[in-house]
Amino acid sequence: MPLSDQPQTGRSSTAMAVSLAAVLLGSFALTACGGDTSGSGAGDPKASSEKDSRSEKDSGKDDEMAMEGMEGMDMGDPDATPANEIKGADLKEGTFVVLDTAPPDSDGVKGTAWLAQHDDGTTVTVMLSGLEPATDYMSHLHAQSCAKDNGGDHFQFEKGGPTTPPNEVYLAFTSGDDGKAMVTVNNDAKVGDGARAIVVHPAKAMDNKLACADF
């Protein structure tokens, strides 16, 4: 793909990409757990203010905890060779469709995903446009097609194993000011026929599956 045709995303270094991914992973874990709205302080402005203050302090700790043990977890590099440019690979391509669980005003999101299996493992690339400008996103390989529960569960190399890379395939990225993004991730293992789709989520609302592409 000519460089001029690729979306301009303000490419960062691999280290910065991993740092972003670590923060997003922490956000994903916190969102999955949900918030606690119970307690005698509900509806109390003073209690709410104190809770917000604690949340601000704790958020830094959460990000630090998310960073621990992240070394070697590849979650995307905008400078890596895209999956569709790997010679001799078994290549699959999918077109993103906006899901019914997408946040409001997402109808303009579109793009393509590629999954390449080769001698060195698996490479996945996503290219999207119509995203919110300068916004963090996370994408995962899923075990079902988009028509089955919007992709179903995450694909795992070892079912029931760790919910982090390298057992799962994550792509963490930030859209450019033009709402475009392109990122590639590599994994040393081959997914075989187990990865049926890829789903994109807004990092700030991981429960909202934004778009899905079948392979």
Side-chain angles (χ1 to χ4, degrees), residues 3-144:
L3 183 59
S4 60
D5 292 341
Q6 295 184 9
Q8 301 302 309
T9 59
R11 293 185 170 185
S12 60
S13 66
T14 302
M16 292 178 66
V18 172
S19 177
L20 167 64
V23 174
L24 295 183
L25 181 61
S27 174
F28 169 66
L30 291 172
T31 303
C33 291
D36 182 5
T37 57
S38 63
S40 58
D44 183 343
K46 181 178 179 180
S48 176
S49 177
E50 291 175 351
K51 181 178 180 181
D52 290 342
S53 178
R54 289 195 300 270
S55 297
E56 291 177 2
K57 293 178 182 178
D58 291 343
S59 64
K61 295 179 181 179
D62 292 331
D63 290 346
E64 290 178 5
M65 290 175 64
M67 289 293 293
E68 294 179 3
M70 296 297 293
E71 295 82 0
M73 291 188 183
D74 187 355
M75 296 189 196
D77 180 0
D79 295 321
T81 301
N84 59 318
E85 294 184 10
I86 298 177
K87 295 181 179 180
D90 178 9
L91 182 66
K92 295 181 180 180
E93 179 177 322
T95 300
F96 280 106
V97 295
V98 177
L99 299 173
D100 56 5
T101 53
D105 302 321
S106 298
D107 292 344
V109 174
K110 58 183 179 180
T112 305
W114 295 273
L115 187 154
Q117 298 188 69
H118 44 82
D119 291 343
D120 295 325
T122 301
T123 300
V124 182
T125 299
V126 298
M127 183 173 66
L128 291 152
S129 63
L131 300 170
E132 288 290 327
T135 300
D136 296 334
Y137 292 88
M138 182 75 85
S139 185
H140 313 87
L141 288 183
H142 280 246
Q144 300 294 334

